[in-house]
Amino acid sequence: MLPEVHGWLLRRTSSAGDWNPRELAAAKGGTTISVVLPARDERETVGEIVGVIRRDLGDLVDEVVVIDSRSRDDTAKVAARAGATVYAQDEILPQLKPLDGKGEALWKSLAVTTGDVVAFVDADIRKFRSCLVFGLLGPMLTDPAVAYVKGCYDRPLDGAPNAGGRVTELVARPLLNLHWPQLAGFVQPLAGEYAGRRTALERVPFVTGYGVELGLLVDLLELAGLDALAQVDLGSREHAPQCIEALGCMACHIMLAAWARLKRQGKIQAFDEPIPCLDQFCRSEYGHDVRTKDVSIGERPPMMTVAA
């Protein structure tokens, strides 16, 4: 680890237990805070998450927004009943051609939220605790130099306390260590819980697929520098794990997001562009069937460049 990263790790890492929501509510002054949940078919968990935030953080959080990403169930109704303001992803900025993916929902949320600080929280978390939100806000509400905060946590899987995060350990962490070693101190670079100042978030592009978290880290490092980034230990986080085939597609999104940034920053010389297709195999009675998936990703420009 680079010496500057080791120093950053000690200086810019805190714990959710270091922050008190009542004290943060008093410290925020005129700063407004939006919490955004991108959600697709998350009726089982989204209502509880919204309810906990509304109940426990009413003095701290100014708005809770759910971006419904083409749910086939009643996610939107459940979220609204729990107290969230709900927007259909494709109805935001309707003059733009709709794109797919989590990053699209996050990017579009910037067009309908009003907070000076925007916190993003995944909508599939089980046993949700309000510290997953107020922990993210602590560093920014107490230090104006901090522009972006990532959560980190244990990832239980199949009874093991920290066996989750397979794509992180096999794809994202190696990529960051190899090409952006200043980001090697982030424990969970792909964490879905993070917060940023609007003034920073609106100045960087958003990858539309699952590479959005890696893309934001790399782009915000370039925009603001390492010392403007921080992380908070949020304890433990439980959610429904993805199947291995879905993780393969997620890994492709992350690699494509990294490729685009390596090329943009002049770190590689590209003679050919990646082919955004993933062939996966499934055993059948005749041997192995090939399933080809489109893993292409889009990218939205900085929100500040988009006319309303």
Side-chain angles (χ1 to χ4, degrees):
M1 182 176 287
L2 297 174
E4 66 177 298
V5 177
H6 182 71
W8 171 88
L9 193 60
L10 297 175
R11 185 175 64 258
R12 287 298 194 205
T13 302
S14 60
S15 169
D18 297 332
W19 311 107
N20 180 289
R22 291 184 180 179
E23 294 176 359
L24 291 177
K28 78 171 192 170
T31 301
T32 54
I33 297 170
S34 303
V35 176
V36 171
L37 286 77
R40 182 177 187 181
D41 298 333
E42 302 293 359
R43 73 172 316 278
E44 299 300 324
T45 50
V46 70
E48 179 183 0
I49 296 171
V50 171
V52 169
I53 296 171
R54 297 299 255 173
R55 183 191 70 220
D56 294 352
L57 303 178
D59 294 334
L60 179 61
V61 172
D62 297 283
E63 63 178 353
V64 182
V65 171
V66 169
I67 306 297
D68 184 38
S69 187
R70 305 170 190 160
S71 293
R72 294 161 293 183
D73 63 12
D74 59 347
T75 288
K77 291 183 179 179
V78 171
R81 283 199 301 265
T85 302
V86 181
Y87 295 91
Q89 174 180 305
D90 292 341
E91 294 178 3
I92 302 170
L93 300 175
Q95 73 274 24
L96 302 179
K97 179 182 177 181
L99 298 178
D100 298 323
K102 177 185 179 182
E104 171 83 340
L106 299 180
W107 181 77
K108 283 190 169 181
S109 76
L110 297 178
V112 294
T113 52
T114 60
D116 303 312
V117 171
V118 183
F120 300 112
V121 179
D122 281 346
D124 64 346
I125 302 173
R126 301 167 177 170
K127 303 176 184 177
F128 185 82
R129 309 176 318 282
S130 60
C131 68
L132 294 173
V133 173
F134 73 74
L136 298 172
L137 302 174
M140 277 187 292
L141 294 179
T142 57
D143 188 343
V146 176
Y148 186 70
V149 180
K150 287 285 291 187
C152 63
Y153 32 65
D154 295 335
R155 297 281 301 276
L157 180 66
D158 296 334
N162 204 17
R166 290 163 287 177
V167 177
T168 292
E169 299 305 327
L170 297 175
V171 182
R173 195 179 311 285
L175 280 170
L176 293 176
N177 275 259
L178 289 169
H179 302 294
W180 296 281
Q182 284 183 296
L183 297 173
F186 281 94
V187 179
Q188 292 287 355
L190 301 184
E193 286 62 57
Y194 45 96
R197 297 190 190 278
R198 180 176 295 274
T199 50
L201 294 173
E202 290 192 344
R203 293 174 63 192
V204 293
F206 275 58
V207 174
T208 59
Y210 283 110
V212 61
E213 280 85 18
L214 183 136
L216 285 173
L217 263 184
V218 172
D219 292 341
L220 286 165
L221 173 67
E222 185 176 33
L223 174 73
L226 181 61
D227 201 52
L229 313 181
Q231 67 180 341
V232 177
D233 185 348
L234 302 176
S236 180
R237 176 191 187 278
E238 296 184 35
H239 71 128
Q242 299 267 16
C243 66
I244 195 68
E245 290 80 10
L247 293 180
C249 294
M250 188 182 300
C252 282
H253 284 187
I254 291 162
M255 295 177 75
L256 287 169
W259 169 275
R261 280 145 186 80
L262 288 168
K263 183 179 177 182
R264 189 180 302 158
Q265 294 179 1
K267 295 190 175 192
I268 58 171
Q269 185 176 3
F271 295 99
D272 294 295
E273 293 296 316
I275 299 174
C277 291
L278 176 64
D279 293 328
Q280 296 176 308
F281 294 88
C282 178
R283 181 174 287 280
S284 70
E285 60 179 313
Y286 303 107
H288 289 89
D289 293 338
V290 180
R291 297 179 180 177
T292 300
K293 296 180 180 178
D294 179 2
V295 292
S296 58
I297 59 174
E299 185 169 292
R300 290 299 195 182
M303 182 59 76
M304 65 181 297
T305 69
V306 177

